[in-house]
Amino acid sequence: MIDTGMGDNATDIQQTLELLGAGWADVSDVVITHAHVDHVGGLNEVLSSRRNAVVWAGEADAGAVTSGILSSETLVRAAADGASIRGLRVIHTPGHTQGHISLLHEAEGLAVRR
């Protein structure tokens, strides 16, 4: 999953997962592109539905994302430039925030910058 929205949207996320033929159990990783509320606000809701998901954020934003998580059991992993997360290459694209990242699916030629 890439970003979690503003919050109070777990039902919408679940419905979208179902449209894709998936469910909460299929969410293994949550990548936060940057630490603004419109991208990370729903993270606690997502984690309440999928407690074991691994959370990723750009190196400079990982601390801010961690500070907003209610569960002390969740560790935010720093997504370094050039790293691979589930087949997506991390590209450090600072500017919007210092830790802003974009993701590239090289095989499909698809870039995600949010």
Side-chain angles (χ1 to χ4, degrees), residues 18-80:
E18 290 170 359
L19 284 172
L20 296 169
W24 287 113
D26 297 300
V27 177
S28 60
D29 297 78
V30 179
V31 180
I32 302 298
T33 59
H34 65 284
H36 283 168
V37 70
D38 56 329
H39 293 259
V40 72
L43 183 56
N44 284 308
E45 280 184 285
V46 167
L47 291 174
S48 71
S49 297
R50 188 61 174 121
R51 296 190 197 288
N52 295 328
V54 177
V55 179
W56 299 88
E59 291 177 300
D61 282 2
V65 173
T66 299
S67 69
I69 296 176
L70 298 176
S71 170
S72 62
E73 298 173 14
T74 302
L75 171 69
V76 176
R77 297 183 185 184

Side-chain angles (χ1 to χ4, degrees), residues 1 10 12-27:
M1 177 178 294
D12 294 334
I13 292 171
Q14 181 173 342
Q15 289 173 346
T16 301
L17 288 168
E18 290 170 359
L19 284 172
L20 296 169
W24 287 113
D26 297 300
V27 177

